[in-house]
Amino acid sequence: MTVDHAARLTRRRWFQFGLGMICIVLALLSIFFAVELHTVRQRQALRAVLEQRGAEFGPRWESSVVPAPSFVRRLLGDELAPMITLPSDCWTPSNESQGLSIDEIERVFPEAQLMQNL
């Protein structure tokens, strides 16, 4: 073995990835984006149903700071809903059987302060 050949063997090579590693990283990124996209679409669908039934989305009255959605969720089209005002006649037993309960709204919009419009 020559000195040049031995030096080449002992030198580290950075940033070399195999095809398998790239596939694993892409699969993990795809799963992450799929979960985030599902959350954003679920929030958009529930927001459309609530707005159709007369709910209003707006800023909080109190001065508490509400954290903004992550960069990825903003990139996918997520909007902040700090306060949701629900009409008084919006929730009947038929609505709860369709999956539109207060618990469901609080689960999908954890940052929201729910108000009942009298």
Side-chain angles (χ1 to χ4, degrees):
M1 251 207 251
T2 65
V3 176
D4 186 37
H5 183 67
R8 240 187 347 213
L9 289 177
T10 59
R11 186 174 30 162
R12 289 186 178 247
R13 294 183 182 185
W14 297 99
F15 303 117
Q16 286 189 345
F17 301 102
L19 185 59
M21 179 61 83
I22 291 174
C23 288
I24 290 171
V25 169
L26 285 177
L28 292 175
L29 281 173
S30 298
I31 291 170
F32 172 74
F33 278 108
V35 168
E36 292 294 322
L37 185 62
H38 175 72
T39 302
V40 169
R41 286 185 177 168
Q42 187 178 24
R43 286 172 59 99
Q44 289 173 343
L46 185 58
R47 185 177 184 128
V49 168
L50 290 174
E51 286 176 343
Q52 180 183 10
R53 295 187 182 204
E56 297 176 0
F57 290 77
R60 285 191 182 191
W61 290 359
E62 55 194 48
S63 63
S64 64
V65 176
V66 178
S70 69
F71 171 74
V72 173
R73 288 189 39 192
R74 282 190 314 235
L75 187 68
L76 294 173
D78 196 7
E79 295 179 23
L80 192 62
M83 187 172 78
I84 303 173
T85 306
L86 304 170
S88 59
D89 61 344
C90 190
W91 306 119
T92 61
S94 65
N95 286 338
E96 295 217 2
S97 67
Q98 297 172 3
L100 293 175
S101 65
I102 300 295
D103 294 334
E104 178 71 12
I105 296 171
E106 288 176 343
R107 186 186 67 76
V108 174
F109 295 103
E111 77 278 7
Q113 176 183 5
L114 299 179
M115 303 283 292
Q116 188 80 22
N117 198 6
L118 300 175

PDB file of all heavy atoms in Angstrom, residues 61-75:
ATOM      1  N   TRP A  61     -61.028  38.665  23.363  1.00  0.00           N
ATOM      2  CA  TRP A  61     -61.236  39.971  23.985  1.00  0.00           C
ATOM      3  C   TRP A  61     -60.164  40.278  25.010  1.00  0.00           C
ATOM      4  O   TRP A  61     -59.765  41.402  25.185  1.00  0.00           O
ATOM      5  CB  TRP A  61     -62.591  40.024  24.645  1.00  0.00           C
ATOM      6  CG  TRP A  61     -63.711  40.038  23.657  1.00  0.00           C
ATOM      7  CD1 TRP A  61     -63.594  40.036  22.296  1.00  0.00           C
ATOM      8  CD2 TRP A  61     -65.090  40.042  23.924  1.00  0.00           C
ATOM      9  NE1 TRP A  61     -64.819  40.039  21.701  1.00  0.00           N
ATOM     10  CE2 TRP A  61     -65.768  40.050  22.684  1.00  0.00           C
ATOM     11  CE3 TRP A  61     -65.833  40.041  25.072  1.00  0.00           C
ATOM     12  CZ2 TRP A  61     -67.142  40.052  22.582  1.00  0.00           C
ATOM     13  CZ3 TRP A  61     -67.202  40.052  24.975  1.00  0.00           C
ATOM     14  CH2 TRP A  61     -67.850  40.064  23.739  1.00  0.00           C
ATOM     15  N   GLU A  62     -59.713  39.243  25.697  1.00  0.00           N
ATOM     16  CA  GLU A  62     -58.683  39.465  26.699  1.00  0.00           C
ATOM     17  C   GLU A  62     -57.324  39.574  26.017  1.00  0.00           C
ATOM     18  O   GLU A  62     -57.158  39.224  24.862  1.00  0.00           O
ATOM     19  CB  GLU A  62     -58.690  38.330  27.722  1.00  0.00           C
ATOM     20  CG  GLU A  62     -58.547  36.972  27.081  1.00  0.00           C
ATOM     21  CD  GLU A  62     -58.890  35.851  28.030  1.00  0.00           C
ATOM     22  OE1 GLU A  62     -59.929  35.914  28.682  1.00  0.00           O
ATOM     23  OE2 GLU A  62     -58.081  34.922  28.087  1.00  0.00           O
ATOM     24  N   SER A  63     -56.357  40.046  26.756  1.00  0.00           N
ATOM     25  CA  SER A  63     -55.059  40.342  26.153  1.00  0.00           C
ATOM     26  C   SER A  63     -54.076  39.177  26.235  1.00  0.00           C
ATOM     27  O   SER A  63     -52.883  39.391  26.116  1.00  0.00           O
ATOM     28  CB  SER A  63     -54.453  41.565  26.832  1.00  0.00           C
ATOM     29  OG  SER A  63     -54.228  41.271  28.195  1.00  0.00           O
ATOM     30  N   SER A  64     -54.557  37.966  26.447  1.00  0.00           N
ATOM     31  CA  SER A  64     -53.623  36.845  26.534  1.00  0.00           C
ATOM     32  C   SER A  64     -53.048  36.536  25.150  1.00  0.00           C
ATOM     33  O   SER A  64     -53.700  36.699  24.138  1.00  0.00           O
ATOM     34  CB  SER A  64     -54.319  35.602  27.093  1.00  0.00           C
ATOM     35  OG  SER A  64     -55.328  35.189  26.212  1.00  0.00           O
ATOM     36  N   VAL A  65     -51.827  36.093  25.155  1.00  0.00           N
ATOM     37  CA  VAL A  65     -51.124  35.799  23.903  1.00  0.00           C
ATOM     38  C   VAL A  65     -51.438  34.360  23.501  1.00  0.00           C
ATOM     39  O   VAL A  65     -51.302  33.438  24.289  1.00  0.00           O
ATOM     40  CB  VAL A  65     -49.604  35.993  24.076  1.00  0.00           C
ATOM     41  CG1 VAL A  65     -48.868  35.601  22.814  1.00  0.00           C
ATOM     42  CG2 VAL A  65     -49.315  37.420  24.468  1.00  0.00           C
ATOM     43  N   VAL A  66     -51.883  34.200  22.268  1.00  0.00           N
ATOM     44  CA  VAL A  66     -52.182  32.874  21.737  1.00  0.00           C
ATOM     45  C   VAL A  66     -51.044  32.493  20.796  1.00  0.00           C
ATOM     46  O   VAL A  66     -50.710  33.257  19.891  1.00  0.00           O
ATOM     47  CB  VAL A  66     -53.527  32.877  20.977  1.00  0.00           C
ATOM     48  CG1 VAL A  66     -53.812  31.514  20.397  1.00  0.00           C
ATOM     49  CG2 VAL A  66     -54.643  33.337  21.890  1.00  0.00           C
ATOM     50  N   PRO A  67     -50.439  31.317  20.975  1.00  0.00           N
ATOM     51  CA  PRO A  67     -49.328  30.941  20.093  1.00  0.00           C
ATOM     52  C   PRO A  67     -49.810  30.714  18.663  1.00  0.00           C
ATOM     53  O   PRO A  67     -50.895  30.179  18.433  1.00  0.00           O
ATOM     54  CB  PRO A  67     -48.805  29.649  20.712  1.00  0.00           C
ATOM     55  CG  PRO A  67     -49.938  29.121  21.515  1.00  0.00           C
ATOM     56  CD  PRO A  67     -50.722  30.306  21.972  1.00  0.00           C
ATOM     57  N   ALA A  68     -49.016  31.142  17.727  1.00  0.00           N
ATOM     58  CA  ALA A  68     -49.349  30.970  16.309  1.00  0.00           C
ATOM     59  C   ALA A  68     -49.094  29.522  15.897  1.00  0.00           C
ATOM     60  O   ALA A  68     -48.295  28.832  16.518  1.00  0.00           O
ATOM     61  CB  ALA A  68     -48.494  31.908  15.462  1.00  0.00           C
ATOM     62  N   PRO A  69     -49.787  29.060  14.863  1.00  0.00           N
ATOM     63  CA  PRO A  69     -49.502  27.707  14.373  1.00  0.00           C
ATOM     64  C   PRO A  69     -48.060  27.599  13.873  1.00  0.00           C
ATOM     65  O   PRO A  69     -47.440  28.602  13.533  1.00  0.00           O
ATOM     66  CB  PRO A  69     -50.474  27.519  13.204  1.00  0.00           C
ATOM     67  CG  PRO A  69     -51.401  28.663  13.221  1.00  0.00           C
ATOM     68  CD  PRO A  69     -50.832  29.711  14.102  1.00  0.00           C
ATOM     69  N   SER A  70     -47.569  26.396  13.832  1.00  0.00           N
ATOM     70  CA  SER A  70     -46.190  26.192  13.388  1.00  0.00           C
ATOM     71  C   SER A  70     -46.025  26.627  11.931  1.00  0.00           C
ATOM     72  O   SER A  70     -46.993  26.791  11.197  1.00  0.00           O
ATOM     73  CB  SER A  70     -45.800  24.717  13.535  1.00  0.00           C
ATOM     74  OG  SER A  70     -46.524  23.939  12.605  1.00  0.00           O
ATOM     75  N   PHE A  71     -44.782  26.776  11.529  1.00  0.00           N
ATOM     76  CA  PHE A  71     -44.486  27.207  10.163  1.00  0.00           C
ATOM     77  C   PHE A  71     -45.077  26.239   9.139  1.00  0.00           C
ATOM     78  O   PHE A  71     -45.626  26.652   8.125  1.00  0.00           O
ATOM     79  CB  PHE A  71     -42.963  27.329   9.973  1.00  0.00           C
ATOM     80  CG  PHE A  71     -42.559  27.566   8.555  1.00  0.00           C
ATOM     81  CD1 PHE A  71     -42.755  28.801   7.969  1.00  0.00           C
ATOM     82  CD2 PHE A  71     -42.017  26.551   7.788  1.00  0.00           C
ATOM     83  CE1 PHE A  71     -42.395  29.032   6.644  1.00  0.00           C
ATOM     84  CE2 PHE A  71     -41.658  26.760   6.471  1.00  0.00           C
ATOM     85  CZ  PHE A  71     -41.854  28.007   5.901  1.00  0.00           C
ATOM     86  N   VAL A  72     -44.968  24.945   9.416  1.00  0.00           N
ATOM     87  CA  VAL A  72     -45.474  23.941   8.476  1.00  0.00           C
ATOM     88  C   VAL A  72     -46.989  24.058   8.345  1.00  0.00           C
ATOM     89  O   VAL A  72     -47.535  24.018   7.245  1.00  0.00           O
ATOM     90  CB  VAL A  72     -45.061  22.523   8.937  1.00  0.00           C
ATOM     91  CG1 VAL A  72     -45.719  21.457   8.081  1.00  0.00           C
ATOM     92  CG2 VAL A  72     -43.560  22.376   8.912  1.00  0.00           C
ATOM     93  N   ARG A  73     -47.687  24.233   9.460  1.00  0.00           N
ATOM     94  CA  ARG A  73     -49.145  24.332   9.400  1.00  0.00           C
ATOM     95  C   ARG A  73     -49.586  25.628   8.742  1.00  0.00           C
ATOM     96  O   ARG A  73     -50.585  25.649   8.028  1.00  0.00           O
ATOM     97  CB  ARG A  73     -49.728  24.179  10.792  1.00  0.00           C
ATOM     98  CG  ARG A  73     -49.566  22.735  11.194  1.00  0.00           C
ATOM     99  CD  ARG A  73     -50.217  22.265  12.411  1.00  0.00           C
ATOM    100  NE  ARG A  73     -51.518  22.730  12.730  1.00  0.00           N
ATOM    101  CZ  ARG A  73     -52.058  22.521  13.913  1.00  0.00           C
ATOM    102  NH1 ARG A  73     -51.411  21.868  14.836  1.00  0.00           N
ATOM    103  NH2 ARG A  73     -53.256  22.953  14.177  1.00  0.00           N
ATOM    104  N   ARG A  74     -48.858  26.695   8.949  1.00  0.00           N
ATOM    105  CA  ARG A  74     -49.189  27.941   8.225  1.00  0.00           C
ATOM    106  C   ARG A  74     -48.948  27.760   6.743  1.00  0.00           C
ATOM    107  O   ARG A  74     -49.723  28.248   5.912  1.00  0.00           O
ATOM    108  CB  ARG A  74     -48.344  29.099   8.753  1.00  0.00           C
ATOM    109  CG  ARG A  74     -48.829  29.655  10.059  1.00  0.00           C
ATOM    110  CD  ARG A  74     -48.102  30.936  10.389  1.00  0.00           C
ATOM    111  NE  ARG A  74     -46.664  30.795  10.172  1.00  0.00           N
ATOM    112  CZ  ARG A  74     -45.739  31.027  11.070  1.00  0.00           C
ATOM    113  NH1 ARG A  74     -46.070  31.438  12.251  1.00  0.00           N
ATOM    114  NH2 ARG A  74     -44.470  30.864  10.796  1.00  0.00           N
ATOM    115  N   LEU A  75     -47.899  27.040   6.389  1.00  0.00           N
ATOM    116  CA  LEU A  75     -47.592  26.762   4.991  1.00  0.00           C
ATOM    117  C   LEU A  75     -48.702  25.939   4.333  1.00  0.00           C
ATOM    118  O   LEU A  75     -49.025  26.138   3.160  1.00  0.00           O
ATOM    119  CB  LEU A  75     -46.255  26.012   4.906  1.00  0.00           C
ATOM    120  CG  LEU A  75     -45.667  25.753   3.543  1.00  0.00           C
ATOM    121  CD1 LEU A  75     -45.222  27.073   2.918  1.00  0.00           C
ATOM    122  CD2 LEU A  75     -44.492  24.815   3.648  1.00  0.00           C
TER     123      LEU A  75
END
